[in-house]
Amino acid sequence: MKEKLLYFVLFLFVAIPLFAQKENVSATFTIKGQVIDSLTNESVPYVTLRIALASAPKNLVKLLACDEDGKFTATMNKPGKYVMLLESLGKVPAQKTFTLSANKKVMDFGKLLMQDDTQQLKGVTVTAQKPLVKVEVDKLTYSLEDDPEATTSNALDMFRKVPMVTVDGEDKIQLKGSSNYKIYMNGKPSNLLSGDNASDVLKSMPASSIKNIEVITDPGAKYDAEGVGGIINIITTKNAIQGYTGTVRANASTLGSVGGGAYLSVKAGKFGVTGNYGYNYRNSPWNDSYSERMTDVDMLADGASTQLIEKGRSKHKGPFQYGNLEASYEIDTLNLLSVGVNLFRGKSKNLSELDAVLNPVSGTAIDPIYKYHRNSVSEGTFGSTDVNVDYQHSTKKKDELLTVSYRFSQSPNDNESRTELSDEVGYYLADEYPKWNINDASTVEHTGQVDYTTPLFKKQTLEVGVKYINRQNKSNTLEQIYNDSTKVWEDHSRDNSQFHHTQHIYSAYLGYLVRLNKFGIKAGVRAEGTSLSAEFEKKPDMNFDTDYFDLVPNAVFTYQLDMSSQIRLGYNMRIQRPGIWYLNPYINDANPQNISQGNPNLDSEKSNNLNLNFSKFTQKFSVNASLSYTFVNNSIERYTFTADFPSTDIRSQYNGALWNTYDNIGKKQQVGVFLYGNWSPTTWFRIYMNGGMNYTDLKASSLGMSNDGFDGRIFAGTQFTLPKDFRINLNGGYFSPRVQLQGEYSSFYFAGMNISKDFLKKKLSVSLRMQNPFWKHMKMESTIVGDGFSSMSKNWRSAREFGLSVSYRFGTMKGQIKKVRRGISNDDSKSGGESNSGGGEQQSM
């Protein structure tokens, strides 16, 4: 089966390019030229050329773009008189009329001039559909400003339509079927968009504030070696040379979510400021749960098999808010200073009720071994504060840049929980309640970086840089048990309750880009050294430290079949360090029968990634197909076992419970196929799909565990742009169960509809959203099988949701705020996972 799959995909990669090349066989005329700035005499890159017959200027016959040197070459099939419109941001649109005849099959325009101006062309208007996706050497870009649905949708809805990005029924984002990625904003990372926080923030962010979404599947040497398998970079809109523009918005849904926000951008002379603020309050409905665990031999039942049944319900509520402010000052034409602040803060209150009973399933006992009712309330504070300062110096040499950057980041994740029991019979941990736990966890980073890039020769670019990160992780825990006789809360904190983890990371990189006609090569190497130490204040003999050094290569090769088609082959090696949730030794016993704990002894995981990609993007039809292979030799995996600790171990009080933790035990191989397609036969109708399939082979020899199999996902939809500024979007998706080391999770399925209307000359937008209108609840199942036990759980979550959002845009838009083109991107920390405590470079601007 594996070989058949690989042969099929390789056949597609060979057949599709050959089919694409066949399209141009009938071409008999050639046009070519170069677009030049009329004042500086420099080339104007990526100018859009729209060609139509002079007799029918509204009917487009050819759409193409110049290369990075302003040059273009295209073929035409028919003779005749044509009009060509040249368009580029910040330039006066230019028009050129020309004639092709049997006696003149090659039309060389030489140098075509364009002027700097903000006036619009008053003459021929050519109506055309803009391609939503474009491909470059190491990334592809989805244009939200050219997608009409973006005017009334939120950012997360638009993520569903980006090639190789999928969003499941629980709003969890995947890149190429994996959660191993980072989300940047304007080329800079932010904890605002990390982990599960990303979905909440993106849902509250209007898509109209975003210009492009870039998918970087082959991160180069400038990105941290200890980085990720891919990067999603959000490029926000740029505004106002002399003026302002803004948006106010509000939203609400039937599942207890309400919020609003505002966006404002102001530019006066050399000074520009952009700000965005959002607030949301969530109050979810109660959701039911059921779990059943079978244990072959249970010490609590004198060696008999047991069955633990838990029935409960839970809900969460609380506010979160985010804001970002970026200011830029153009010191002069060659020097630019930029300061940015991102703030994200949230509070979550989780309520849960649960009835548990442990029954014997063998032996002579009839009555339950124990039973109880448990109430838990936990409150957590989460978020981040990021401050970026960037100084950029450019020279008279085009594209030569020196950037000096500093970044401060602080991410708190505090949690406080209270748990009490009632109706208790025979429960062996009854004396441990009521319980009151307080965990203070956070990460603080200081980063300094210097980057330099310069063109050496024609179509060749060199980039070098150095970087230093100081990262401090901490977790301080206070565990208290109420003594009913003394009426006092007693401290029962463990030896690992005061934990500090420090990392010093030193790195340097060298990258080189070469463009040779239709070929492109981008290669580099990064050297990185790490020194880390872990300290346990209450028990110093547990302290440890280590150092290691890595050389990490990467390379990308591209070949342009024609103006709209490209093949790309890329390799990169990445390293990923565990984040605080993986390292935190705090024992989360909110559910005393299902314990979670991090592992402070975790090592970084190293992966090798190979990607083969074919893309073809035309005016009406686009396709992107990708084949990838990933190998990880020491992946960090979560695993579960039945607790059976020696009596001398403080954890022995939990013997008989399930214990969940992490370790570098995995050897993982994965082959993935990903496909994106978009068809727009007319200007008012579009069909799109985005999906993929993986084959994963996962082994943990030290535990005697292994698993393999296929999993896949698909998202598809259709979009109607109707008269009177009405828009309708229908979509749906399916996610099959993912392959896990231990157990299996149920599949996802979802469907949605969005109806929107613009008013007041498109300044006021109103949108009605329906998510899963055909079913009220969705059942999620998971199973875990281990040595001597099996566990099954079911969770019901509210699925049907109706939402309303309103936004109003105001102000003027006359140009751009200039921003630093490079910045700090810390993408090395493995985040996500499960919290034990509860709770760059700027690309194409």
Side-chain angles (χ1 to χ4, degrees):
M1 184 62 185
K2 303 179 193 176
E3 293 180 354
K4 291 181 179 179
L5 174 63
L6 291 174
Y7 288 145
F8 175 70
V9 175
L10 290 174
F11 171 76
L12 287 178
F13 274 96
V14 173
I16 294 177
L18 291 176
F19 174 77
Q21 288 179 314
K22 189 177 179 180
E23 295 181 357
N24 292 329
V25 171
S26 61
T28 57
F29 300 91
T30 300
I31 61 172
K32 61 183 179 179
Q34 183 180 24
V35 182
I36 299 296
D37 187 286
S38 61
L39 293 179
T40 65
N41 203 36
E42 293 183 348
S43 60
V44 182
Y46 310 117
V47 175
T48 300
L49 308 179
R50 306 177 189 278
I51 304 175
L53 285 168
S55 58
K58 293 186 178 181
N59 298 324
L60 198 67
V61 298
K62 179 73 75 171
L63 175 67
L64 65 149
C66 300
D67 62 16
E68 68 277 6
D69 293 322
K71 295 181 178 180
F72 65 91
T73 301
T75 54
M76 306 286 289
N77 294 331
K78 297 179 180 179
K81 186 177 181 180
Y82 294 90
V83 59
M84 180 170 64
L85 186 66
L86 291 75
E87 294 179 322
S88 181
L89 186 63
K91 303 289 184 183
V92 176
Q95 181 179 326
K96 184 72 174 179
T97 301
F98 63 96
T99 302
L100 297 176
S101 64
N103 298 326
K104 196 170 187 180
K105 292 191 174 184
V106 178
M107 173 63 70
D108 188 350
F109 294 101
K111 294 184 177 180
L112 298 172
L113 302 180
M114 294 191 75
Q115 300 177 357
D116 289 328
D117 199 61
T118 58
Q119 299 298 316
Q120 298 297 318
L121 178 68
K122 296 180 180 179
V124 176
T125 300
V126 179
T127 302
Q129 298 165 283
K130 296 182 181 179
L132 292 174
V133 184
K134 70 175 182 178
V135 179
E136 299 175 56
V137 174
D138 59 348
K139 66 183 177 183
L140 59 85
T141 302
Y142 187 92
S143 174
L144 265 67
E145 65 179 358
D146 294 326
D147 190 328
E149 190 185 357
T151 57
T152 56
S153 298
N154 62 56
L156 186 66
D157 290 335
M158 303 308 296
F159 262 55
R160 302 178 192 272
K161 302 164 74 172
V162 178
M164 291 184 280
V165 177
T166 48
V167 183
D168 66 21
E170 290 188 322
D171 293 334
K172 294 180 179 178
I173 303 167
Q174 295 180 6
L175 176 59
K176 298 175 63 178
S178 171
S179 58
N180 182 13
Y181 66 90
K182 282 285 184 178
I183 301 178
Y184 288 0
M185 185 174 290
N186 293 325
K188 301 171 186 175
S190 171
N191 291 315
L192 170 74
L193 294 169
S194 65
D196 293 336
N197 301 334
S199 295
D200 290 329
V201 174
L202 291 171
K203 279 190 286 188
S204 67
M205 182 182 297
S208 58
S209 67
I210 300 174
K211 183 180 189 301
N212 295 321
I213 298 176
E214 300 176 341
V215 179
I216 307 171
T217 56
D218 296 288
K222 62 175 173 285
Y223 297 101
D224 287 335
E226 304 75 10
V228 294
I231 293 170
I232 303 171
N233 188 28
I234 298 173
I235 304 298
T236 56
T237 56
K238 304 171 292 181
N239 305 295
I241 281 183
Q242 297 296 328
Y244 66 95
T245 182
T247 303
V248 291
R249 60 189 186 273
N251 62 273
S253 82
T254 56
L255 291 185
S257 176
V258 61
Y263 170 85
L264 180 66
S265 184
V266 180
K267 183 70 161 57
K270 296 183 177 181
F271 186 73
V273 178
T274 300
N276 194 8
Y277 173 79
Y279 175 90
N280 270 72
Y281 184 87
R282 299 168 296 178
N283 188 5
S284 72
W286 285 94
N287 290 318
D288 296 328
S289 64
Y290 173 85
S291 68
E292 183 178 310
R293 189 187 81 205
M294 302 294 297
T295 305
D296 294 341
V297 177
D298 195 320
M299 64 187 68
L300 299 177
D302 297 326
S305 300
T306 60
Q307 178 192 50
L308 175 65
I309 297 177
E310 295 180 329
K311 298 179 181 179
R313 63 175 189 159
S314 63
K315 69 172 298 177
H316 65 273
K317 59 182 179 179
F320 76 91
Q321 54 188 324
Y322 73 91
N324 62 281
L325 184 68
E326 184 173 7
S328 297
Y329 179 69
E330 298 177 45
I331 302 171
D332 54 38
T333 57
L334 300 179
N335 296 280
L336 177 66
L337 181 65
S338 177
V339 178
V341 179
N342 293 311
L343 178 66
F344 177 44
R345 280 293 183 273
K347 291 185 178 181
S348 179
K349 186 173 185 178
N350 300 291
L351 310 174
S352 68
E353 302 174 357
L354 183 138
D355 289 294
V357 57
L358 182 69
N359 294 310
V361 295
S362 62
T364 59
I366 300 176
D367 296 330
I369 300 169
Y370 67 72
K371 64 177 181 178
Y372 61 83
H373 176 82
R374 188 184 78 232
N375 279 327
S376 296
V377 178
S378 66
E379 296 184 72
T381 300
F382 55 91
S384 66
T385 301
D386 302 322
V387 179
N388 294 280
V389 180
D390 301 290
Y391 167 72
Q392 175 182 289
H393 173 70
S394 57
T395 69
K396 294 182 179 180
K397 185 178 181 181
K398 184 182 178 183
D399 294 329
E400 183 175 34
L401 290 174
L402 173 68
T403 308
V404 180
S405 304
Y406 167 77
R407 178 175 185 255
F408 168 81
S409 178
Q410 192 263 346
S411 304
N413 198 293
D414 304 328
N415 180 263
E416 181 176 351
S417 64
R418 292 176 181 260
T419 307
E420 59 182 26
L421 303 181
S422 61
D423 300 329
E424 178 272 326
V425 177
Y427 184 46
Y428 69 105
L429 290 178
D431 293 340
E432 302 292 323
Y433 296 88
K435 182 176 292 187
W436 180 15
N437 289 352
I438 302 174
N439 181 239
D440 175 18
S442 67
T443 299
V444 175
E445 288 182 351
H446 296 274
T447 306
Q449 181 171 321
V450 178
D451 297 285
Y452 175 70
T453 180
T454 182
L456 294 182
F457 307 100
K458 185 177 181 181
K459 297 184 178 182
Q460 299 185 42
T461 303
L462 172 72
E463 55 183 11
V464 295
V466 293
K467 183 176 184 178
Y468 167 72
I469 305 174
N470 178 280
R471 178 177 295 133
Q472 305 280 341
N473 296 307
K474 76 167 185 176
S475 172
N476 298 325
T477 306
L478 175 62
E479 300 177 80
Q480 302 171 99
I481 297 175
Y482 188 71
N483 188 322
D484 192 57
S485 61
T486 63
K487 310 300 181 183
V488 173
W489 287 97
E490 299 177 347
D491 187 354
H492 286 251
S493 301
R494 298 170 173 84
D495 291 339
N496 59 14
S497 61
Q498 305 293 319
F499 168 67
H500 295 268
H501 183 266
T502 303
Q503 293 178 337
H504 299 277
I505 304 163
Y506 314 86
S507 59
Y509 71 87
L510 172 66
Y512 205 79
L513 171 64
V514 180
R515 293 184 179 91
L516 302 172
N517 296 323
K518 294 185 177 183
F519 289 94
I521 303 173
K522 188 174 185 178
V525 64
R526 189 179 186 95
E528 195 152 310
T530 303
S531 174
L532 64 86
S533 63
E535 298 179 355
F536 299 85
E537 290 186 9
K538 296 187 67 173
K539 196 170 184 181
D541 58 352
M542 296 173 60
N543 295 351
F544 66 91
D545 58 75
T546 186
D547 300 279
Y548 47 90
F549 177 82
D550 293 286
L551 282 176
V552 180
N554 64 84
V556 180
F557 303 90
T558 64
Y559 177 72
Q560 189 171 352
L561 299 170
D562 53 44
M563 288 295 294
S564 63
S565 305
Q566 182 193 81
I567 292 179
R568 183 174 75 244
L569 176 65
Y571 164 79
N572 62 72
M573 180 167 60
R574 315 301 292 171
I575 302 169
Q576 199 163 36
R577 300 183 181 89
I580 183 63
W581 313 132
Y582 294 88
L583 297 168
N584 194 347
Y586 165 61
I587 297 175
N588 185 346
D589 59 358
N591 182 347
Q593 296 305 313
N594 199 347
I595 313 297
S596 296
Q597 183 185 29
N599 180 2
N601 299 304
L602 288 175
D603 239 341
S604 299
E605 65 178 38
K606 185 180 296 185
S607 65
N608 292 273
N609 309 284
L610 188 64
N611 301 291
L612 178 62
N613 187 84
F614 168 77
S615 58
K616 183 175 182 64
F617 298 106
T618 65
Q619 180 182 350
K620 293 185 177 182
F621 177 73
S622 301
V623 63
N624 184 83
S626 177
L627 173 67
S628 66
Y629 171 75
T630 299
F631 174 74
V632 185
N633 199 37
N634 67 332
S635 65
I636 298 173
E637 299 293 339
R638 175 185 170 97
Y639 68 99
T640 304
F641 58 94
T642 304
D644 184 11
F645 299 104
S647 59
T648 55
D649 194 316
I650 193 171
R651 297 173 295 178
S652 62
Q653 62 180 303
Y654 298 106
N655 283 344
L658 290 186
W659 199 274
N660 304 275
T661 190
Y662 305 91
D663 211 341
N664 295 96
I665 55 175
K667 180 175 287 188
K668 180 179 180 180
Q669 297 185 77
Q670 187 174 74
V671 177
V673 182
F674 310 94
L675 181 65
Y676 164 83
N678 178 81
W679 181 48
S680 303
T682 70
T683 58
W684 58 269
F685 177 68
R686 184 163 73 94
I687 297 175
Y688 55 90
M689 67 83 62
N690 199 9
M693 181 174 64
N694 296 328
Y695 175 79
T696 304
D697 182 62
L698 192 58
K699 293 182 174 65
S701 301
S702 60
L703 299 178
M705 297 180 184
S706 64
N707 198 5
D708 69 289
F710 289 91
D711 64 83
R713 68 219 67 85
I714 185 171
F715 176 79
T718 183
Q719 181 175 297
F720 301 87
T721 303
L722 305 177
K724 304 296 183 180
D725 294 323
F726 274 100
R727 290 177 298 277
I728 300 176
N729 183 273
L730 306 172
N731 60 72
Y734 173 79
F735 283 62
S736 69
R738 285 186 291 169
V739 176
Q740 307 288 325
L741 176 63
Q742 203 174 2
E744 185 177 280
Y745 294 86
S746 62
S747 59
F748 289 102
Y749 50 90
F750 52 92
M753 181 178 182
N754 186 289
I755 302 175
S756 60
K757 172 76 168 71
D758 291 339
F759 302 90
L760 303 178
K761 297 182 179 180
K762 297 188 177 182
K763 290 185 176 182
L764 176 65
S765 298
V766 180
S767 176
L768 175 65
R769 178 172 59 92
M770 291 166 279
Q771 191 70 21
N772 302 316
F774 308 113
W775 50 89
K776 185 176 181 180
H777 294 95
M778 184 177 294
K779 182 174 69 174
M780 313 302 298
E781 295 187 47
S782 65
T783 58
I784 299 177
V785 179
D787 186 13
F789 78 92
S790 63
S791 176
M792 177 273 297
S793 65
K794 299 178 183 179
N795 291 277
W796 289 264
R797 71 177 188 89
S798 300
R800 184 180 299 148
E801 182 180 16
F802 296 90
L804 176 68
S805 63
V806 180
S807 66
Y808 178 75
R809 292 175 291 281
F810 59 89
T812 60
M813 299 181 66
K814 297 180 181 178
Q816 308 171 8
I817 289 179
K818 192 174 181 181
K819 298 181 180 180
V820 170
R821 294 166 58 185
R822 286 180 178 265
I824 288 173
S825 55
N826 291 350
D827 52 6
D828 61 301
S829 179
K830 184 182 179 75
S831 58
E834 177 178 324
S835 171
N836 297 318
S837 58
E841 174 187 352
Q842 182 169 325
Q843 306 299 317
S844 270
M845 289 294 292

